[in-house]
Short mmCIF file of all heavy atoms in Angstrom, two decimals:
data_model
loop_
_atom_site.label_atom_id
_atom_site.label_comp_id
_atom_site.label_asym_id
_atom_site.label_seq_id
_atom_site.Cartn_x
_atom_site.Cartn_y
_atom_site.Cartn_z
N LYS L 142 -16.56 -2.69 -21.76
CA LYS L 142 -15.21 -3.22 -22.13
C LYS L 142 -14.70 -4.16 -21.07
O LYS L 142 -14.92 -4.01 -19.86
CB LYS L 142 -14.19 -2.04 -22.23
CG LYS L 142 -14.72 -0.85 -23.11
CD LYS L 142 -14.89 -1.27 -24.52
CE LYS L 142 -15.16 -0.09 -25.41
NZ LYS L 142 -16.48 0.49 -25.19
N TYR L 143 -13.91 -5.10 -21.54
CA TYR L 143 -13.19 -5.99 -20.58
C TYR L 143 -11.87 -5.41 -20.35
O TYR L 143 -11.05 -5.22 -21.23
CB TYR L 143 -13.00 -7.46 -21.14
CG TYR L 143 -12.09 -8.26 -20.26
CD1 TYR L 143 -12.55 -8.88 -19.07
CD2 TYR L 143 -10.70 -8.44 -20.64
CE1 TYR L 143 -11.67 -9.57 -18.31
CE2 TYR L 143 -9.88 -9.25 -19.89
CZ TYR L 143 -10.39 -9.78 -18.76
OH TYR L 143 -9.54 -10.52 -17.86
N ILE L 144 -11.52 -5.01 -19.08
CA ILE L 144 -10.28 -4.40 -18.79
C ILE L 144 -9.57 -5.21 -17.63
O ILE L 144 -8.63 -4.69 -16.99
CB ILE L 144 -10.32 -2.98 -18.46
CG1 ILE L 144 -11.24 -2.66 -17.24
CG2 ILE L 144 -10.78 -2.11 -19.65
CD1 ILE L 144 -11.11 -1.19 -16.81
N GLY L 145 -10.04 -6.45 -17.37
CA GLY L 145 -9.36 -7.27 -16.41
C GLY L 145 -10.32 -7.77 -15.33
O GLY L 145 -11.56 -7.45 -15.32
N PRO L 146 -9.88 -8.58 -14.38
CA PRO L 146 -10.66 -9.16 -13.33
C PRO L 146 -10.98 -8.23 -12.17
O PRO L 146 -11.68 -8.61 -11.31
CB PRO L 146 -9.82 -10.37 -12.87
CG PRO L 146 -8.41 -9.92 -13.15
CD PRO L 146 -8.45 -9.07 -14.36
N LEU L 147 -10.36 -7.03 -12.16
CA LEU L 147 -10.59 -6.17 -10.98
C LEU L 147 -11.48 -5.03 -11.18
O LEU L 147 -12.20 -4.65 -10.20
CB LEU L 147 -9.20 -5.54 -10.61
CG LEU L 147 -8.05 -6.61 -10.39
CD1 LEU L 147 -6.74 -5.84 -10.03
CD2 LEU L 147 -8.45 -7.52 -9.26
N VAL L 148 -11.57 -4.44 -12.36
CA VAL L 148 -12.36 -3.30 -12.61
C VAL L 148 -13.56 -3.64 -13.54
O VAL L 148 -13.36 -4.14 -14.67
CB VAL L 148 -11.58 -2.13 -13.19
CG1 VAL L 148 -12.50 -0.88 -13.35
CG2 VAL L 148 -10.45 -1.79 -12.33
N LYS L 149 -14.80 -3.40 -13.11
CA LYS L 149 -15.94 -3.66 -13.84
C LYS L 149 -16.32 -2.39 -14.63
O LYS L 149 -16.29 -1.30 -14.06
CB LYS L 149 -17.13 -4.07 -12.94
CG LYS L 149 -18.45 -4.31 -13.63
CD LYS L 149 -19.55 -4.52 -12.58
CE LYS L 149 -20.87 -4.59 -13.32
NZ LYS L 149 -21.98 -4.71 -12.28
N THR L 150 -16.66 -2.58 -15.91
CA THR L 150 -16.99 -1.42 -16.72
C THR L 150 -18.53 -1.37 -17.11
O THR L 150 -19.01 -2.40 -17.50
CB THR L 150 -16.20 -1.42 -18.06
OG1 THR L 150 -16.51 -2.56 -18.74
CG2 THR L 150 -14.66 -1.35 -17.78
N LEU L 174 -5.34 3.17 -21.01
CA LEU L 174 -6.63 3.64 -21.31
C LEU L 174 -6.59 4.90 -22.06
O LEU L 174 -5.53 5.68 -21.95
CB LEU L 174 -7.40 4.01 -19.91
CG LEU L 174 -7.88 2.81 -19.01
CD1 LEU L 174 -8.45 3.33 -17.74
CD2 LEU L 174 -8.89 1.90 -19.83
N THR L 187 -9.52 0.49 -23.43
CA THR L 187 -8.16 0.02 -23.63
C THR L 187 -8.04 -0.11 -25.17
O THR L 187 -8.94 -0.52 -25.79
CB THR L 187 -7.85 -1.31 -22.93
OG1 THR L 187 -8.84 -2.25 -23.32
CG2 THR L 187 -7.95 -1.18 -21.45
N GLU L 190 -8.46 -3.74 -26.13
CA GLU L 190 -9.42 -4.35 -25.29
C GLU L 190 -8.87 -5.61 -24.59
O GLU L 190 -9.20 -6.77 -24.87
CB GLU L 190 -10.71 -4.77 -26.05
CG GLU L 190 -11.83 -5.10 -25.08
CD GLU L 190 -13.24 -4.81 -25.69
OE1 GLU L 190 -13.43 -3.92 -26.50
OE2 GLU L 190 -14.16 -5.55 -25.30
N GLN L 191 -7.89 -5.32 -23.71
CA GLN L 191 -7.29 -6.47 -22.94
C GLN L 191 -7.12 -6.00 -21.54
O GLN L 191 -7.40 -4.82 -21.23
CB GLN L 191 -5.88 -6.76 -23.51
CG GLN L 191 -4.90 -5.57 -23.47
CD GLN L 191 -3.61 -5.81 -24.26
OE1 GLN L 191 -3.53 -6.77 -25.01
NE2 GLN L 191 -2.57 -5.02 -23.99
N ALA L 192 -6.72 -6.93 -20.65
CA ALA L 192 -6.73 -6.63 -19.15
C ALA L 192 -5.58 -5.56 -18.98
O ALA L 192 -4.52 -5.65 -19.55
CB ALA L 192 -6.40 -7.92 -18.40
N MET L 193 -5.99 -4.58 -18.02
CA MET L 193 -4.90 -3.74 -17.63
C MET L 193 -3.78 -4.35 -16.84
O MET L 193 -4.09 -5.39 -16.15
CB MET L 193 -5.55 -2.61 -16.79
CG MET L 193 -6.53 -1.69 -17.52
SD MET L 193 -7.49 -0.61 -16.46
CE MET L 193 -6.13 0.49 -15.93
N THR L 194 -2.61 -3.92 -16.91
CA THR L 194 -1.45 -4.58 -16.34
C THR L 194 -0.88 -3.80 -15.07
O THR L 194 -0.04 -4.34 -14.40
CB THR L 194 -0.31 -4.68 -17.25
OG1 THR L 194 0.14 -3.38 -17.78
CG2 THR L 194 -0.76 -5.60 -18.51
N GLN L 198 -4.20 -0.35 -10.68
CA GLN L 198 -5.37 0.01 -11.53
C GLN L 198 -6.60 0.11 -10.76
O GLN L 198 -7.53 0.80 -11.15
CB GLN L 198 -5.57 -1.14 -12.57
CG GLN L 198 -5.84 -2.55 -12.02
CD GLN L 198 -5.94 -3.61 -13.10
OE1 GLN L 198 -7.03 -3.73 -13.66
NE2 GLN L 198 -4.90 -4.33 -13.35
N THR L 211 -16.30 0.37 -11.60
CA THR L 211 -16.50 -0.10 -10.23
C THR L 211 -15.71 -1.38 -10.00
O THR L 211 -15.10 -1.95 -10.84
CB THR L 211 -18.04 -0.34 -10.00
OG1 THR L 211 -18.57 -1.32 -10.98
CG2 THR L 211 -18.79 0.91 -10.17
N SER L 212 -15.67 -1.75 -8.75
CA SER L 212 -14.90 -2.93 -8.27
C SER L 212 -15.72 -4.20 -8.73
O SER L 212 -16.78 -4.40 -8.31
CB SER L 212 -14.77 -2.91 -6.80
OG SER L 212 -14.27 -4.18 -6.30
N LYS L 213 -15.01 -4.99 -9.54
CA LYS L 213 -15.66 -6.22 -10.07
C LYS L 213 -15.86 -7.31 -8.95
O LYS L 213 -16.99 -7.83 -8.88
CB LYS L 213 -14.87 -6.84 -11.26
CG LYS L 213 -15.57 -7.93 -12.00
CD LYS L 213 -14.80 -8.41 -13.23
CE LYS L 213 -14.91 -7.49 -14.34
NZ LYS L 213 -14.31 -8.02 -15.64
N PRO L 214 -14.92 -7.53 -8.09
CA PRO L 214 -15.22 -8.49 -7.04
C PRO L 214 -16.26 -8.09 -6.05
O PRO L 214 -16.95 -8.92 -5.43
CB PRO L 214 -13.84 -8.64 -6.30
CG PRO L 214 -12.85 -8.17 -7.31
CD PRO L 214 -13.52 -7.09 -8.05
N PHE L 271 -7.84 -5.72 -3.09
CA PHE L 271 -8.64 -6.88 -3.53
C PHE L 271 -8.24 -8.18 -2.78
O PHE L 271 -8.69 -9.19 -3.19
CB PHE L 271 -8.52 -7.10 -5.03
CG PHE L 271 -9.00 -5.90 -5.88
CD1 PHE L 271 -8.24 -5.07 -6.49
CD2 PHE L 271 -10.41 -5.73 -5.90
CE1 PHE L 271 -8.71 -3.99 -7.29
CE2 PHE L 271 -10.93 -4.70 -6.67
CZ PHE L 271 -10.11 -3.78 -7.36
N VAL L 676 -9.26 -14.00 -6.39
CA VAL L 676 -9.03 -12.83 -7.30
C VAL L 676 -7.52 -12.63 -7.57
O VAL L 676 -7.07 -12.45 -8.71
CB VAL L 676 -9.56 -11.58 -6.62
CG1 VAL L 676 -9.16 -10.34 -7.42
CG2 VAL L 676 -11.10 -11.70 -6.46
N GLU L 679 -6.38 -15.22 -10.11
CA GLU L 679 -6.65 -14.82 -11.45
C GLU L 679 -5.67 -13.75 -11.98
O GLU L 679 -5.24 -13.78 -13.15
CB GLU L 679 -8.10 -14.39 -11.57
CG GLU L 679 -8.66 -14.07 -12.98
CD GLU L 679 -10.05 -13.78 -13.00
OE1 GLU L 679 -10.75 -13.88 -11.97
OE2 GLU L 679 -10.54 -13.44 -14.09
N CYS L 680 -5.46 -12.84 -11.11
CA CYS L 680 -4.44 -11.71 -11.51
C CYS L 680 -3.07 -12.26 -11.80
O CYS L 680 -2.43 -11.87 -12.75
CB CYS L 680 -4.38 -10.64 -10.44
SG CYS L 680 -5.85 -9.70 -10.23
N LEU L 683 -3.05 -14.04 -15.15
CA LEU L 683 -3.02 -13.06 -16.32
C LEU L 683 -1.63 -12.44 -16.46
O LEU L 683 -1.12 -12.27 -17.54
CB LEU L 683 -4.03 -11.98 -15.96
CG LEU L 683 -5.47 -12.11 -16.55
CD1 LEU L 683 -6.37 -11.07 -15.96
CD2 LEU L 683 -5.48 -12.10 -18.05
N ASN L 687 0.67 -12.46 -19.73
CA ASN L 687 1.21 -11.28 -20.36
C ASN L 687 2.70 -11.29 -20.50
O ASN L 687 3.27 -10.81 -21.47
CB ASN L 687 0.77 -10.06 -19.47
CG ASN L 687 -0.66 -9.68 -19.64
OD1 ASN L 687 -1.29 -10.07 -20.66
ND2 ASN L 687 -1.23 -8.97 -18.75
#
Side-chain angles (χ1 to χ4, degrees):
K142 310 295 188 294
Y143 171 77
I144 60 174
L147 303 179
V148 182
K149 177 187 174 187
T150 61
L174 289 175
T187 53
E190 197 153 328
Q191 61 188 16
M193 294 172 69
T194 61
Q198 62 182 278
T211 55
S212 169
K213 191 175 279 188
F271 296 105
V676 175
E679 188 175 352
C680 291
L683 270 172
N687 285 338

